[in-house]
Amino acid sequence: MLFVSILMLIVSISCSTDQDIIPDSNQNITLPKIGDDAESIPQWIYEEMSFFYYWNEELPESEPIGDEDPRNYFYSLLNSNDYFSFITDDAESIKEENSGTIMAGGFSTTFGVFTNSDNLFAIVQYVYSGSPADKAGLKRGDIILQVNGDDLNLSNLYQLDSDDLSSVTLGEYNGSSISMTDDIITLSTGSIELNPVIHYEVKEIDDFKVGYLVYVDFILGDDDKWLNSLLDALDYMKSEGISEFVLDLRYNPGGRVKAAEYLASALAPASVVANEEVLATYEYNDNLQEFFSSRNGMEASYFESRFTPNEHNLNLDEIYILTTGNTASASELVINSLKPYMKVTMIGEPTFGKFYGAYLLYDENDPPKHDWAITPVAFKYANASGETDFINGLIPDIYLEDNLLEARAFGDESDPMLSAAINLIKGEVISNGRISSDRPYEPVYDLQKINRKNALFFLPRLDQVPDNW
């Protein structure tokens, strides 16, 4: 019960942001402007939701009367199965994340609790190279028990991702419990560039050259900076002549559909890409269905995306993907879209189970009338075989828990998940099913992070591509 209550509370304290629907920055698309003349924030929310929300037929027939609390009003409108739509009163921070730059310390955490305990702790999943956290010595697997001198709890845990962070106090795991240490890491937060390519390398395993990529966010960046970082990593692996590929999406909560489509088009078999096979299909409410159907010959691209020929394609016929419950949204889109065309071996834990996408909506007036933004679920996706509605997540072929209390550096072949992938590549037989269940804590998945990535799950089109694609 404690585990569930923590999850529900994290949902309730998810941040809010404000923005009106904007097209993908690399797409020449004009969408209808809704709600710009609304007289109140709740009225603006209602008008936006009435047009874009996937379940808009369930909304009340009348607009709100009075000046209700925007956050409470927004969540009162959501479908009972909608855990993803998101509101914030800080639109600017969402925009910064979209460009791959935020004010923070430069590391990512996940949270956990021990059975029969209410003590929350954080574990570092990864650290951005060159960030204040990196320079201060914080590393993957570090346990955090205090933030700015206060015990970590549900009211201050999101300071770990904000510019209010000044120090963290580390803990030590002794095999059965975690104790406080005297190790305090002082951090200076600043404008951090979030290169989502955390690690990549080519390993020589027996007679195989194996590419290994840790990718943590589907973002494009200003002028496609972070997309090009991904393409550079793939080009290096291609130049090395890899024949096997391990894609580490354990900590990737999703992001831009466009980035997902680029990655999938680089990984799929060359024949699939050359034939521009269907990558995914998209379903909307009646308003958007009608709007997109009238786009004068372009309507097909709104309802499906296709693999795009490119010079980065690795021509793989099999891929190994590492997953956890933090693997969501655009990450699941890549996995699901590749399955009809190649052998996809998933190693790890079931993914989050998010087969919906959203638009980021905020006030586009100059200057804006308000700072609220909403990201209502606006569409559902399926792969070419029609597979969707994976409410329990995408299920791994080899179940292996991600125990961050025993975290290894990325690329370390003693990492259980990477080791399992390597053993499969070498031809060793690993029986299906649970092969590890010794994680001593319950993970508390960061729904705020996953929902913020939902905000960046933009219109599904490959309308324009970078010059080097």
Side-chain angles (χ1 to χ4, degrees):
M1 292 301 297
L2 173 65
F3 178 56
V4 174
S5 65
I6 288 176
L7 282 176
M8 293 305 294
L9 186 51
I10 287 179
V11 171
S12 70
I13 63 177
S14 290
C15 292
S16 317
T17 321
D18 185 14
Q19 180 173 354
D20 196 286
I21 186 161
I22 63 171
D24 197 317
S25 60
N26 288 324
Q27 296 170 352
N28 296 324
I29 296 173
T30 300
L31 291 170
K33 298 181 70 173
I34 308 294
D36 279 2
D37 297 324
E39 296 181 359
S40 69
I41 305 304
Q43 182 185 4
W44 172 80
I45 291 172
Y46 180 85
E47 292 181 11
E48 297 281 10
M49 295 285 281
S50 295
F51 190 85
F52 294 106
Y53 191 45
Y54 184 75
W55 295 281
N56 63 346
E57 74 281 356
E58 299 178 6
L59 297 178
E61 294 183 2
S62 58
E63 296 184 5
I65 300 175
D67 200 15
E68 302 181 49
D69 177 78
R71 201 175 267 104
N72 291 339
Y73 177 69
F74 176 78
Y75 286 115
S76 74
L77 300 177
L78 301 187
N79 174 277
S80 59
N81 294 316
D82 180 7
Y83 306 106
F84 311 117
S85 295
F86 181 69
I87 184 171
T88 176
D89 58 4
D90 183 13
E92 197 59 36
S93 69
I94 295 288
K95 297 177 189 179
E96 290 175 352
E97 287 184 26
N98 183 35
S99 67
T101 303
I102 63 169
M103 293 292 293
F107 62 100
S108 176
T109 57
T110 191
F111 307 102
V113 291
F114 281 102
T115 304
N116 300 320
S117 169
D118 58 358
N119 295 324
L120 185 70
F121 58 89
I123 312 177
V124 176
Q125 296 169 321
Y126 58 87
V127 178
Y128 287 101
S129 177
S131 67
D134 184 28
K135 295 175 182 177
L138 201 65
K139 63 184 183 301
R140 171 169 160 78
D142 279 345
I143 302 167
I144 297 174
L145 294 182
Q146 289 188 337
V147 181
N148 298 340
D150 297 322
D151 289 344
L152 187 66
N153 55 60
L154 289 171
S155 64
N156 67 7
L157 58 87
Y158 290 117
Q159 287 185 4
L160 290 169
D161 293 321
S162 76
D163 56 2
D164 296 327
L165 180 65
S166 60
S167 69
V168 295
T169 303
L170 302 185
E172 184 177 44
Y173 178 59
N174 62 17
S176 60
S177 63
I178 296 175
S179 58
M180 189 86 69
T181 71
D182 295 327
D183 194 357
I184 299 175
I185 293 182
T186 302
L187 294 167
S188 60
T189 57
S191 181
I192 308 301
E193 291 196 325
L194 307 178
N195 185 348
V197 178
I198 294 294
H199 178 88
Y200 68 94
E201 64 177 294
V202 172
K203 294 179 173 293
E204 295 197 16
I205 308 294
D206 292 346
D207 295 328
F208 303 101
K209 283 194 172 183
V210 181
Y212 173 61
L213 170 68
V214 182
Y215 190 56
V216 299
D217 204 349
F218 285 89
I219 54 176
L220 303 176
D222 293 337
D223 298 320
D224 290 324
K225 180 176 183 177
W226 302 130
L227 174 61
N228 290 330
S229 176
L230 170 63
L231 300 181
D232 288 345
L234 296 172
D235 285 346
Y236 168 73
M237 295 181 187
K238 185 174 182 178
S239 69
E240 290 292 305
I242 67 166
S243 59
E244 309 290 339
F245 192 83
V246 180
L247 177 60
D248 194 335
L249 296 178
R250 279 180 281 187
Y251 314 118
N252 192 319
R256 299 285 288 274
V257 166
K258 189 172 181 179
E261 291 172 333
Y262 284 140
L263 179 57
S265 293
L267 300 176
S271 60
V272 170
V273 177
N275 292 333
E276 299 185 34
E277 302 285 358
V278 171
L279 188 151
T281 60
Y282 304 93
E283 176 185 278
Y284 309 88
N285 67 28
D286 289 344
N287 289 338
L288 286 171
Q289 203 84 4
E290 180 179 355
F291 177 77
F292 293 144
S293 295
S294 63
R295 293 302 92 193
N296 299 323
M298 299 171 59
E299 60 271 13
S301 60
Y302 293 95
F303 299 112
E304 65 181 26
S305 55
R306 292 179 175 272
F307 290 91
T308 304
N310 64 90
E311 63 185 26
H312 311 280
N313 179 259
L314 298 174
N315 190 25
L316 301 170
D317 56 18
E318 183 172 6
I319 188 171
Y320 303 85
I321 302 181
L322 313 186
T323 64
T324 68
N326 287 299
T327 306
S329 192
S331 288
E332 293 170 303
L333 175 65
V334 169
I335 298 169
N336 200 42
S337 297
L338 291 175
K339 281 189 170 184
Y341 302 107
M342 61 192 300
K343 183 176 180 181
V344 177
T345 300
M346 289 175 54
I347 300 169
E349 302 172 61
T351 62
F352 188 80
K354 184 177 170 192
F355 40 88
Y356 295 107
Y359 296 134
L360 177 58
L361 309 179
Y362 61 99
D363 181 19
E364 291 186 279
N365 288 298
D366 188 16
K369 296 178 181 179
H370 60 82
D371 296 321
W372 289 88
I374 60 174
T375 61
V377 166
F379 60 90
K380 181 170 75 170
Y381 69 82
N383 67 14
S385 300
E387 295 170 331
T388 184
D389 295 328
F390 40 89
I391 59 174
N392 296 317
L394 299 170
I395 306 302
D397 301 281
I398 304 298
Y399 185 99
L400 184 59
E401 291 178 341
D402 187 37
N403 182 5
L404 281 169
L405 291 177
E406 299 180 358
R408 307 292 199 276
F410 291 123
D412 186 331
E413 293 177 24
S414 65
D415 179 317
M417 287 196 195
L418 179 57
S419 175
I422 290 173
N423 288 339
L424 289 172
I425 289 170
K426 293 165 64 174
E428 297 183 15
V429 177
I430 299 178
S431 60
N432 290 342
R434 183 183 295 263
I435 62 174
S436 175
S437 59
D438 57 358
R439 181 171 53 201
Y441 64 92
E442 289 286 346
V444 180
Y445 296 118
D446 189 349
L447 297 187
Q448 170 171 294
K449 184 182 296 182
I450 291 171
N451 287 343
R452 288 176 79 88
K453 291 296 99 181
N454 188 54
L456 303 180
F457 205 58
F458 275 88
L459 191 64
R461 288 193 56 208
L462 281 171
D463 202 31
Q464 296 179 353
V465 296
D467 291 338
N468 66 345
W469 178 245

